[in-house]
Amino acid sequence: MRTRVGIIGAGPAGLLLSQLLSHHGIDSVIIETRSQEYVEARIRAGVIEHGAVQTLTEAGVADRLHREGMRHDGIYLQWPGERHHLDFPDLCGQSVWVYGQTELTKDLFRIRLEAGQPIHFEVSDVSIIDPLAERPGIAFTDADGTPQLLECDAVAGCDGFHGVSRDTIPESVRTVWQRIYPYSWLGILAEVAPSTDELIYAWHPEGFALHSMRSHSISRLYVQVAPDDVIENWPDDRIWEALATRMALDGWTLDSGPTLEKGITPMRSFVSAPMRYGNLFLAGDAAHIVPPTGAKGLNLAIADVTRLSDALVRRFTEGREDLVDAYSDAALQRVWRSTHFSWWMTSMLHADDPADANAAFLRQMQLSQLRYVTSSRAASTTLAENYTGFSG
Ligand code: RFL
Ligand code: PHB
């Protein structure tokens, strides 16, 4: 098998990259270890930045997003007794869209499969051959057990945090930065109309809570839990009770409903550089992870592949190497901005372990910062421009 760009991973990064390349007449093949049903059922991100929506629109994959997605012009920040709205268009002239990653993935699959372009699902034994060569390759075993070799001009490692691409880059040329947070998020998808028009990020001494949504009839909610907590400790009643306590406000009620899905996600910040090694290019979670508090994971994946497709298109059509050479440094600049923002939001909103000697002091720092962010125009603009997508 031969193609221009061999793409490892059919998450949003890999799927969108293939669509952006095909828009410019450049063919690619995607390989994915999971089944299409599995990938489509994964519940993850929900907030898409202004610029990312523009990219999706230009790529011709945003029709349903524009029909069914919800434009949000701000968020609420709250702590006990107070809820404040930040108006993004007023502060920085931009908005975000609430549209599930699950739905975006379905849209991208449909477009690619309708165009008759291949995705090999349920592959195994994936390895990258000669990433430094002019013609690298990807070896894998197809779903029916047939060994395959895909020759290409470039390999895109879009295989997420647990993929094989990042580890193909020798340790001697890689640097990794990591922070593991001492808490996790328990997330539920619930069949109930959202009790709010825009997302509520709530600070509470018992732990952070977030009210998000997927549609006018489906809510997505999160509570901070201990890092080693297990879902068995959290029957539905306990989750709704924690949500109601942490988001309580006079005159406001949280409506509950049947839980469709629930799970616990650990939180980490992780960056691996460089994002290029010869003709292997990393994009999305394969190179970096952010905690979900800033809603940046999906958006960074979209920003990476937007930059990467542009660089590869220029290389293939104009023979230009400069954008390919600049890819890693330029992408990492945005990665670090989002890493800082996600860390900052996370530190401002999560309750520290009360046994921590610094917990009482840190709580006052958080409350002071929340008051500042909601009362100073400069501070709220900083949050707004980062949340809606600061491209530097
Ligand atoms: P993905 O989505 O992980 O896709 C990688 C794909 O690669 C496949 N794969 C392989 N394929 C071939 N060969 C191999 N050896 C392979 N190894 C793995 C995987 O099966 C998968 O299909 O990465 P991508 O495309 O970079 O997209 C990144 C986003 O998915 C991610 O940043 C966000 O979803 C992160 N994230 C969230 N981000 C937000 O902005 N807001 C959120 O609310 C939010 N919630 C979440 C999240 C991530 C979660 N994870 C990873 C557990 C909630 C969860 C639960
Ligand atoms: C979500 O809707 O899943 C979501 C929204 C905002 C976040 C994280 C997750 O910061």
Side-chain angles (χ1 to χ4, degrees), residues 220-270:
R220 176 83 170 144
L221 300 118
Y222 298 92
V223 282
Q224 173 189 345
V225 298
D228 52 355
D229 219 334
V230 289
I231 204 75
E232 290 70 31
N233 287 340
W234 288 87
D236 289 1
D237 286 354
R238 184 178 174 206
I239 299 172
W240 286 107
E241 233 175 80
L243 286 164
T245 303
R246 297 178 192 190
M247 286 192 283
L249 192 72
D250 276 352
W252 181 83
T253 43
L254 174 68
D255 294 327
S256 58
T259 303
L260 304 172
E261 196 257 1
K262 58 181 177 178
I264 293 184
T265 314
M267 289 169 71
R268 74 170 83 219
S269 296
F270 175 93

Side-chain angles (χ1 to χ4, degrees), residues 90-329:
D90 173 48
L91 291 165
C92 66
Q94 299 202 333
S95 302
V96 293
W97 287 77
V98 172
Y99 187 67
Q101 177 171 332
T102 316
E103 301 311 310
L104 177 62
T105 305
K106 284 183 197 158
D107 297 343
L108 288 162
F109 271 139
R110 187 181 48 76
I111 286 163
R112 183 165 175 100
L113 296 171
E114 270 174 16
Q117 295 183 316
I119 303 180
H120 296 256
F121 289 104
E122 297 180 76
V123 305
S124 50
D125 311 321
V126 178
S127 64
I128 299 168
I129 317 287
D130 288 339
L132 293 177
E134 204 175 310
R135 293 271 157 82
I138 306 172
F140 62 97
T141 305
D142 238 329
D144 65 5
T146 316
Q148 300 279 8
L149 179 63
L150 175 65
E151 284 178 30
C152 33
D153 296 323
V155 174
C158 302
D159 47 355
F161 187 64
H162 301 288
V164 296
S165 301
R166 187 176 62 250
D167 289 340
T168 303
I169 305 179
E171 275 188 25
S172 56
V173 299
R174 272 175 60 200
T175 308
V176 164
W177 297 263
Q178 173 155 234
R179 180 183 177 98
I180 296 182
Y181 298 87
Y183 22 75
S184 294
W185 276 18
L186 186 162
I188 60 167
L189 194 68
E191 201 173 356
V192 59
S195 303
T196 177
D197 56 341
E198 292 183 337
L199 273 58
I200 305 170
Y201 288 81
W203 182 96
H204 191 277
E206 285 176 22
F208 170 71
L210 170 62
H211 191 328
S212 182
M213 61 194 77
R214 286 293 175 273
S215 69
H216 295 294
S217 55
I218 302 286
S219 298
R220 176 83 170 144
L221 300 118
Y222 298 92
V223 282
Q224 173 189 345
V225 298
D228 52 355
D229 219 334
V230 289
I231 204 75
E232 290 70 31
N233 287 340
W234 288 87
D236 289 1
D237 286 354
R238 184 178 174 206
I239 299 172
W240 286 107
E241 233 175 80
L243 286 164
T245 303
R246 297 178 192 190
M247 286 192 283
L249 192 72
D250 276 352
W252 181 83
T253 43
L254 174 68
D255 294 327
S256 58
T259 303
L260 304 172
E261 196 257 1
K262 58 181 177 178
I264 293 184
T265 314
M267 289 169 71
R268 74 170 83 219
S269 296
F270 175 93
V271 180
S272 173
M275 288 172 61
R276 176 199 185 180
Y277 181 64
N279 278 315
L280 165 64
F281 300 86
L282 302 183
D285 279 14
H288 41 75
I289 297 285
V290 285
T293 328
K296 288 289 162 233
L298 170 61
N299 291 296
L300 273 181
I302 294 175
D304 284 352
V305 296
T306 306
R307 188 179 293 283
L308 179 57
S309 72
D310 190 38
L312 291 173
V313 167
R314 299 296 182 99
R315 172 194 253 192
F316 294 141
T317 59
E318 299 168 24
R320 277 176 63 174
E321 284 298 313
D322 55 333
L323 293 178
V324 164
D325 289 344
Y327 169 70
S328 178
D329 286 349

